[in-house]
Amino acid sequence: MSVTSGVVSRIEVTAYMHGSSELLGIQIDAAINSGNSGGPAFNDAGECVGIAFQSLKHEDAENIGYIIPTPVIEHFLTDYARHGRYTGFPCLGVEWQKMENPDLRAALKMQPDQKGVLIRRVEPTSAVSEVLRQNDVLMSFDGVGIANDGTVPFRSGERISFSYLVSNKYTGEEAELVVLHEGKQRTVRVSLRAAVRLVPFHIRGLPPSYLIVAGLVFTTVTVPYLRSEYGKEYDFDAPVKLLDKMMHGMASHADEQVVVLSQVLASDVNTGYEDICNTQVVALNNAPIKNLADLAAKVDACTDSFLCLDLDYNQKVVLDTAKAKAATPDILAVHCISNDRSSDLVKSTPPVASSKMDGQSTEVPSDKKDKLSKARKRGRPVTAY
């Protein structure tokens, strides 16, 4: 057992790296190194006041750690007791801007005694999308006035971001908002719910979804996927457009996903496309792609002569439909892949299996061995995961 002592530096709304959310956090000057997070933090009286969970790594900073305070822990336990599962912390689903500039307040017809924050964007899937609009001014939350810098009173003589009030709510609970719309003040009530993320931060222990068509491997963008592709520094090394989707993208409907062409399993049918990787799929035969299941359904139902995929950066991938579907089983056999899609995408008709799944060995035809050998010589990828 190791014990480290320190003092509380500040209490404020902090970004939680483990959950991609902003909740109340306590900053301390005791070091929290890899391997010793997750332990309890005690005060001088021996009372548990939180759980150590993350630290700030920066060349100009030392011994800056953060603990999860007891209100956040109690919220999690109460949430689980009420619903039988963890439903998450609710959010308003808006992006806001400070209104400390007097000209900005005057342009939005605010009176000198009125205060609030400017609503810049509203998530289409959020509950407040029905009552809030861009350029509205949010003036109070549940009867607590919001200052022009977005803070509300906290403890004695202190202030904190108003998102703290939102995080104290539970999913399904109502909140009262006072909103200024084109100079007119009105009061609305909304039922809060957890955020719908365009790029999910968790996949809740489920296996990744995928679809393989003629050696083209499609999947959805999630934070675990980005971390597996680009490592711990994925938020610096991943493609800029995917990071923009993760940080600023808003889902237009609850089941929207960012579908990407992850990699290409080398084959004669997909010659010329081997270098494409992690590029978003925009449309198939001019029909927009909503999610991976939508792409799979469109491929299965396609009767056109060609599968024409529109990718990000104006890239195009065109395959002969009949040849692409016919080549898929052989490519799966060469790469020892049991199915052309994940279980959540399995269609009603039995999938074409190109290798036995009863534990018996399956011999790869000699012509496929020749293709595999040529692929290795050309330096093309010959395995998939």
Side-chain angles (χ1 to χ4, degrees), residues 40 74 127 136 143 145 149 178 191 220 230 235 241 275 289 324 330 351:
E74 289 173 351
D136 281 352
D149 61 353
V178 176
S191 179
T220 58
Y230 301 100
D235 48 349
K241 286 204 172 184
D275 296 333
I289 299 301
D330 292 337

Side-chain angles (χ1 to χ4, degrees), residues 200-208 222 224:
F201 199 84
H202 296 292
I203 57 176
R204 302 185 183 279
L206 300 175
T222 63

Side-chain angles (χ1 to χ4, degrees), residues 261-384:
L261 174 52
S262 172
Q263 60 174 312
V264 179
L265 307 178
S267 175
D268 292 341
V269 73
N270 56 46
T271 300
Y273 304 131
E274 302 90 347
D275 296 333
I276 301 177
C277 67
N278 291 332
T279 305
Q280 184 177 0
V281 181
V282 179
L284 173 64
N285 293 347
N286 296 322
I289 299 301
K290 300 177 182 178
N291 49 47
L292 191 58
D294 182 42
L295 175 61
K298 284 181 168 60
V299 170
D300 293 339
C302 181
T303 57
D304 296 343
S305 300
F306 295 98
L307 291 170
C308 183
L309 290 162
D310 292 322
L311 308 183
D312 212 351
Y313 304 102
N314 296 324
Q315 295 186 78
K316 273 191 178 296
V317 172
V318 180
L319 299 171
D320 183 280
T321 302
K323 291 180 180 179
K325 293 183 177 181
T328 299
D330 292 337
I331 296 174
L332 297 179
V334 170
H335 293 275
C336 301
I337 302 173
S338 62
N339 208 327
D340 67 338
R341 64 194 67 195
S342 54
S343 59
D344 58 320
L345 300 177
V346 172
K347 49 190 175 183
S348 56
T349 56
V352 178
S354 56
S355 60
K356 296 181 180 179
M357 299 302 293
D358 56 0
Q360 301 178 5
S361 61
T362 302
E363 182 69 21
V364 179
S366 59
D367 59 332
K368 305 308 173 192
K369 291 180 179 178
D370 294 339
K371 290 182 180 180
L372 184 59
S373 176
K374 291 179 182 178
R376 287 197 178 100
K377 290 179 181 179
R378 290 195 294 265
R380 295 179 181 175
V382 294
T383 57

Side-chain angles (χ1 to χ4, degrees), residues 117-128:
V117 293
L118 175 65
I119 303 299
R120 295 193 293 116
R121 298 173 67 195
V122 181
E123 292 189 16
T125 58
S126 67
V128 298

